[in-house]
Amino acid sequence: MPTICLVGTLDTKGREYAWLRDRLRDLGCEVVLVDAGVGRAQVDADVGNDRVARAAGAEVEALRAAGDRGAAVAAMGEGAAAVLAELHGAGRLDAVLAVGGSGGSSIAARAVRDLPIGLPKLIVSTMASGDVSPYVGAKDVTLMYSVVDIAGVNRLSRRILGNAAAAVAGMASVALPAGAEDRPLVAASMFGVTTPAVDAARERLEELGYEVLVFHATGSGGRALEGLAGSGLLSGVLDLTTTELADDLAGGVLSAGPERLTAAGAAGVPQVVAPGALDMVNFGPRDTVPERFEGRTFHVHNPAVTLMRTTAGEMGELGRRVAAKLRGATGPAALFVPRGGVSALDAPGAAFHDPKADEACFEALSDGLRGTAVEVEELDLHVNDPGFGRAMADRLHRMISSGGAK
Amino acid sequence: MPTICLVGTLDTKGREYAWLRDRLRDLGCEVVLVDAGVGRAQVDADVGNDRVARAAGAEVEALRAAGDRGAAVAAMGEGAAAVLAELHGAGRLDAVLAVGGSGGSSIAARAVRDLPIGLPKLIVSTMASGDVSPYVGAKDVTLMYSVVDIAGVNRLSRRILGNAAAAVAGMASVALPAGAEDRPLVAASMFGVTTPAVDAARERLEELGYEVLVFHATGSGGRALEGLAGSGLLSGVLDLTTTELADDLAGGVLSAGPERLTAAGAAGVPQVVAPGALDMVNFGPRDTVPERFEGRTFHVHNPAVTLMRTTAGEMGELGRRVAAKLRGATGPAALFVPRGGVSALDAPGAAFHDPKADEACFEALSDGLRGTAVEVEELDLHVNDPGFGRAMADRLHRMISSGGAK
């Protein structure tokens, strides 16, 4: 019997959750009802709001007394995430279902964010016909638009809620068909200026029997890669294009956040990494570049995209950051350094050619990884020389093979 | 055995759709595979792309030859909608499932848009972690984020697609629990400036045994009301606040489109209508009001909302439009005229008080409905006088009762 977790604000949506609970039981599911509201619940919860708040280091009475809705939503979302992680760890979580407006949707989105890809996550929301990126992020969250405010179970909401219950019951009850024929999966990070490198690596990996998922280093792409790296679905990561870290450092528009380049290491997934496109920070049209960067080196890629060359100081800091992240990896990791340049623009005669700045990065990488288990491979090649991507691919294959491919 | 319709571009996503078809059959569903691509299908369709294109008055070869992707997406979406309507009419449609990127999602969104609320509509999309309003609109569309491009069935996409298949199979297979205790539903349209009127009407309707769903006249609210009016779920519509038509006429920011105030009439649902808040057109902050309106009468509601008084000319045109829409209704309709003013701002001493402009509207309404089956009730009350909303509620109840409440 599958277990569905219902996460909601039982002070305002108690009746709807009670209906969903009964409906899911009728459909043959076990239900764990988690109260993420700070008011008095209209229905008995299996996990009370006091326990949810405490899982986030808060007290429900204090949250209620403070009267700060945003703070309450944040705390109860954190707490619900901790409760779900515990249920999942105990094998008591096959799907999550939530119903809410903006507050309830935010709580539910936070609650499911760290669950693995493939575990069904359905949110019925009044907010699901607009910008849902705050709720979905980089995870396989499913949003069902409620059309009207969910207020009571009536002729209309019964259809919406009934569909939602049937959908999660269906997803939780059905075993995934075996896919023995699947090839092992590798994720690779790419940018326009590193495309030849990733193409060469991908070609080699496919020869070796892998399936390669390519993520564009657009911020959301890097976040998706990170989310996937922690999902247990990847055999390895070919993180050739770590450029989003430059945007994170300098304030560009394509940052994937400071946690980029950490998920594979945390999950023990083999990774081969390069400082691809660390020579550039991304902005929009030229006139949107912040004034503080006047005097820097720019390249107008097209009317909508302006690139800024990273300085030697920034390159050194990026080298230190990449090294620190790799030192923290719990699985095998190797770093490949393309001494001939890190992007198509970082080549003799091209706009961002600056060997001194690159050297600051390479030195910091080498210094930061000396004496660690992370092997540093310095190649006298440009990143886009086919031999570079191929060498990274071969190394990743050796790592995966020696650890046993998934 | 439930029937699931798969709608997709089989020239680019044939393998994925073949997998979904087989999976749904394993789950006990009958499958109708509809090809909405313009290229050569990678898998045999049950409804070919030639038939889909022709349902939109196009030819698939011409669409392909033209090389205009936007035009092809639009035509195939229209055609797929016609195919789904036909299947639904024949009782051969219990749910719709689609998978795609931006093009495939657009086609699927158009295809499901006119299906009734409650019929499961699931789209697995690469676009489902951003602004999904173009795909969802005012319908109960469910979007599942694919995390990565759906390209082949691999270790990752198998989980996403497997969940999608299980979700639609679950929704299509489960009978909705009976809700004999449900009260009949009425939808009402409201704005801040007509809230007392709608409150009075709602109170009366609830006394009479109805459940009232209130839609805010924000454009999306009006669209949702229209979508619901065609769903077969409503016993009546109390369309007291038709203000979105003023935004549609004058170019305000809260238009619900030119089709506002037509769905109830088309579906034969009893409706009682008033020109509530037709005195105003909505804009954002004062400095965002287009220059062409300089010299008009404005009211700065708050820093984010600027209201513009409609002129006598506009009010006359609005009266003609409302009358024309009601003349086209296939079900019972009545129009209530609040001779004392149409909104809280349209009262003696208030910013938009302008009896002459109102009179232009009232005359056009009266002229346009003379000799028709639509009764016009002119009351010497302000719209927010409690008697006005109550009178509308009582009339709607009489209409519904004489036709037999749902």
Side-chain angles (χ1 to χ4, degrees), chain A residues 237-276:
Chain A
V237 175
L238 191 121
D239 213 340
L240 190 146
T241 313
T242 43
T243 182
E244 287 151 322
L245 294 171
D247 282 53
D248 183 55
L249 172 66
V253 296
L254 298 187
S255 168
E259 303 303 313
R260 180 76 176 85
L261 193 61
T262 58
V269 175
Q271 56 183 331
V272 179
V273 177

Side-chain angles (χ1 to χ4, degrees), chain B residues 367-387:
Chain B
D367 290 350
L369 294 171
R370 191 166 298 128
T372 71
V374 181
E375 289 175 52
V376 179
E377 193 84 57
E378 302 212 351
L379 298 184
D380 278 328
L381 295 172
H382 184 269
V383 68
N384 286 333
D385 285 335

Side-chain angles (χ1 to χ4, degrees), chain A residues 23 118 128-133 137 139 141-145 148 158-159 163 171 174-175 181-182 215 233, chain B residues 23 118 128-130 132-133 137 139 141-145 148 155-156 158-159 163 171 174-175 181-182 215 233:
Chain A
R23 185 77 193 119
S129 185
D131 179 4
V132 299
S133 56
K139 276 296 170 68
V141 174
T142 301
L143 282 175
M144 181 182 283
Y145 183 43
V148 295
R158 180 187 305 278
R159 305 209 170 201
N163 275 340
M171 290 190 276
V174 165
E181 74 285 10
D182 282 350
F215 292 80
L233 293 169
Chain B
R23 186 76 193 119
S129 185
V132 299
S133 56
K139 277 295 170 69
V141 174
T142 301
L143 282 174
M144 181 181 283
Y145 183 43
V148 295
R155 209 175 278 264
L156 172 65
R158 180 186 305 277
R159 304 208 171 203
N163 275 340
M171 290 190 277
V174 165
E181 75 285 11
D182 283 350
F215 293 80
L233 293 168

